[in-house]
Amino acid sequence: GQNIDQPTEMTATEGAIVQINCTYQTSGFNGLFWYQQHAGEAPTFLSYNVLDGLEEKGRFSSFLSRSKGYSYLLLKELQMKDSASYLCVCYSGTYKYIFGTGTRLKVLA
Amino acid sequence: SAVISQKPSRDICQRGTSLTIQCQVDSQVTMMFWYRQQPGQSLTLIATANQGSEATYESGFVIDKFPISRPNLTFSTLTVSNMSPEDSSIYLCSVEAQAVNTEAFFGQGTRLTVV
């Protein structure tokens, strides 16, 4: 079956670091995406991992372990504008994207 | 990257009516995708639209309810037919990037409320 698990909600303080975890079980795996989605808006691309390891892009980093079916998104120096939902998305190939239900992050002043 | 224009951005419709959502891409793409995002839930693929052929629908979605057109490589429409309040959702058009990382790009979405 296809299953992606991520926490429903997280809260963190402005300036802090937060890690959003994602575990997955999919039939076929060709990479994992993280998307950010503000309320009422379309998802926007944050990162893509296909090999094991850490990908860093500014304040955002994403990690993948294919053997463990595990990924995390790390957000540093949190800002109020980072309050959004973060979607863990598995790409199983042939244009098939499997979306997690998203983690709603609230950043508090 | 691909720029996707989707309209309308939002609409409030009476039950029993139909709404057609348009999606325009700034470059030619082979595959276009339509997703639904119900309140508090993640995205669910409705169908894949390939130019020149019938759309391929996912389990739980049928052509009579969600007819799709794909007249050329830059445009597609999704119609939500005979609407009921359960159809209230965000509908998103998406395309896959023509690059190695296969990132998907999304339109800004259509927020549909059926009353």
Side-chain angles (χ1 to χ4, degrees):
Chain A
Q2 320 270 44
N3 193 46
I4 298 178
D5 285 321
Q6 52 181 129
T8 305
E9 232 176 65
M10 299 181 71
T11 303
T13 307
E14 198 175 13
I17 299 173
V18 70
Q19 178 173 313
I20 303 174
N21 295 323
C22 171
T23 58
Y24 63 88
Q25 285 180 304
T26 59
S27 54
F29 180 82
N30 285 283
L32 189 143
F33 295 89
W34 284 94
Y35 279 83
Q36 181 190 61
Q37 186 177 26
H38 285 98
E41 298 181 13
T44 54
F45 170 79
L46 288 178
S47 69
Y48 173 69
N49 293 71
V50 64
L51 300 175
D52 285 0
L54 187 69
E55 295 278 343
E56 297 187 78
K57 191 187 291 185
R59 292 190 300 117
F60 291 25
S61 303
S62 57
F63 172 83
L64 176 67
S65 169
R66 295 179 69 135
S67 61
K68 295 181 179 176
Y70 168 69
S71 173
Y72 68 73
L73 180 69
L74 192 72
L75 294 79
K76 303 176 188 174
E77 301 169 16
L78 279 174
Q79 302 175 9
M80 299 297 288
K81 66 178 182 179
D82 297 330
S83 293
S85 286
Y86 292 85
L87 307 178
C88 176
V89 185
C90 289
Y91 180 65
S92 62
T94 323
Y95 307 105
K96 290 289 187 183
Y97 298 87
I98 304 149
F99 287 81
T101 52
T103 298
R104 194 177 316 120
L105 174 66
K106 295 181 187 175
V107 180
L108 306 176
Chain B
S1 65
V3 177
I4 303 173
S5 300
Q6 187 175 334
K7 58 181 182 181
S9 57
R10 58 179 63 225
D11 207 342
I12 300 173
C13 301
Q14 295 290 325
R15 68 176 68 202
T17 63
S18 298
L19 175 73
T20 296
I21 303 167
Q22 298 180 6
C23 181
Q24 179 77 51
V25 190
D26 69 343
S27 57
Q28 294 184 339
V29 293
T30 306
M31 309 290 276
M32 294 179 75
F33 309 90
W34 288 98
Y35 287 87
R36 179 175 74 182
Q37 186 175 28
Q38 293 180 302
Q41 298 188 25
S42 192
L43 281 72
T44 302
L45 182 65
I46 297 172
T48 302
N50 197 359
Q51 194 267 334
S53 63
E54 291 239 340
T56 303
Y57 289 82
E58 297 299 303
S59 175
F61 298 97
V62 295
I63 187 171
D64 289 346
K65 176 67 176 177
F66 297 101
I68 287 171
S69 78
R70 184 76 205 275
N72 58 54
L73 290 172
T74 63
F75 187 77
S76 178
T77 67
L78 169 78
T79 299
V80 186
S81 303
N82 188 25
M83 287 183 285
S84 66
E86 291 71 34
D87 294 320
S88 297
S89 288
I90 297 174
Y91 292 84
L92 292 138
C93 165
S94 171
V95 305
E96 186 170 282
Q98 304 301 305
V100 174
N101 68 4
T102 63
E103 166 193 345
F105 296 95
F106 292 88
Q108 64 268 46
T110 296
R111 181 182 290 274
L112 171 63
T113 304
V114 183
V115 297

